[in-house]
Amino acid sequence: MIKLLAPVPAKDPLMQRLAQAKWAVMRADGFIGFLANELPTEIVPADHHIDTAATDYRRFYYNEKWCDGLTGPELIFVVIHECLHVLLAHGRRRSDRVHELFNIAADHVINLMIQASFGPRSKNPIAAMPLDRSLSPPQPIGCMDAAFTGLTSEEVYDKLMGEVRKLGVPVDAFLSAIAGKGNAGDILTNVPQEVQNRLRSFDPSSAPSGEDVQQDQRAAIAAAVARALTRAVSHRHSRGQGSEPSE
């Protein structure tokens, strides 16, 4: 029998908030909650190249400055988001697709899943999409197009790639402009705002996509996922629940 313990107070304020967020996820969904605690968590400084949050499928990264600006439900959303990248094996599934675009496609799928299962109108309303509060009114900063509901990451990727090709611009240049790193004035001219919004993500290509993960590391990641799922099943059984999240 697995006994859940409340998080031990951490000296680092963000680590403490993350522990609380993981605890909230654990209580709502053990399958994701145990994984959030299986892989190491690393806090990176404000000026780090990972300027939001990310995973390289070996650990989770959180930028201290960016996360400090998130509400509790928004931080929970980000924790679940990174866990689902690992659970859904997005690094391995990318294959030879454009890294940044596949990550955005995966984000659409993940964020729709989170919204349905943990969003304000769900049965477990613990998470909320992060907002850009520099805008008035504040706007979501993640990808979540309802038109992609029920699609796989690969299917969303094909649709997004089709939209970019219709624009007649290089994919890499377009994505850089969307992320604010390119000549947006030239590239984004006459591009519908809804298309731009579909290609914005709060964690695009901020960590390796998994293609450089060696075989022994893949085995370690698989073992971590297996441990998390095993512990989650045991925990559910101890509470008289079934082995599946829907049970």
Side-chain angles (χ1 to χ4, degrees), residues 17 40 57 65 67 79 88 109 125 144 170 184 198 201 219 227 242 246:
R17 291 188 67 210
Y57 308 92
K65 181 178 180 180
C67 289
V79 168
L88 298 176
V109 172
M144 190 170 64
R198 279 198 290 274
S201 170
R227 286 195 303 272
S246 59

Side-chain angles (χ1 to χ4, degrees), residues 24-159:
V25 176
M26 183 83 74
R27 287 180 295 175
D29 188 304
F31 286 87
I32 301 174
F34 278 108
L35 180 61
N37 288 285
E38 276 290 342
L39 296 183
T41 290
E42 183 173 328
I43 306 299
V44 299
D47 59 353
H48 196 274
H49 73 276
I50 297 176
D51 54 5
T52 53
T55 181
D56 57 7
Y57 308 92
R58 287 163 279 193
R59 65 184 64 234
F60 300 115
Y61 302 89
Y62 298 93
N63 184 286
E64 58 181 356
K65 181 178 180 180
W66 186 73
C67 289
D68 281 346
L70 300 177
T71 65
E74 288 174 348
L75 187 60
I76 290 172
F77 192 104
V78 174
V79 168
I80 298 173
H81 179 102
E82 300 307 334
C83 285
L84 287 178
H85 272 308
V86 177
L87 276 175
L88 298 176
H90 284 145
R92 179 171 54 82
R93 290 165 58 187
R94 183 178 67 86
S95 187
D96 60 351
R97 297 176 178 88
V98 177
H99 175 194
E100 292 86 349
L101 191 60
F102 187 76
N103 189 85
I104 290 171
D107 281 357
H108 277 286
V109 172
I110 285 176
N111 292 341
L112 286 166
M113 291 173 64
I114 298 174
Q115 189 74 358
S117 298
F118 305 103
R121 298 181 181 178
S122 68
K123 293 182 179 179
N124 294 303
I126 62 171
M129 172 78 83
L131 297 177
D132 183 348
R133 292 179 174 80
S134 68
L135 302 176
S136 182
Q139 298 293 318
I141 59 175
C143 308
M144 190 170 64
D145 191 328
F148 299 143
T149 300
L151 300 183
T152 66
S153 298
E154 290 82 358
E155 290 169 334
V156 175
Y157 176 91
D158 290 342
K159 289 182 177 295

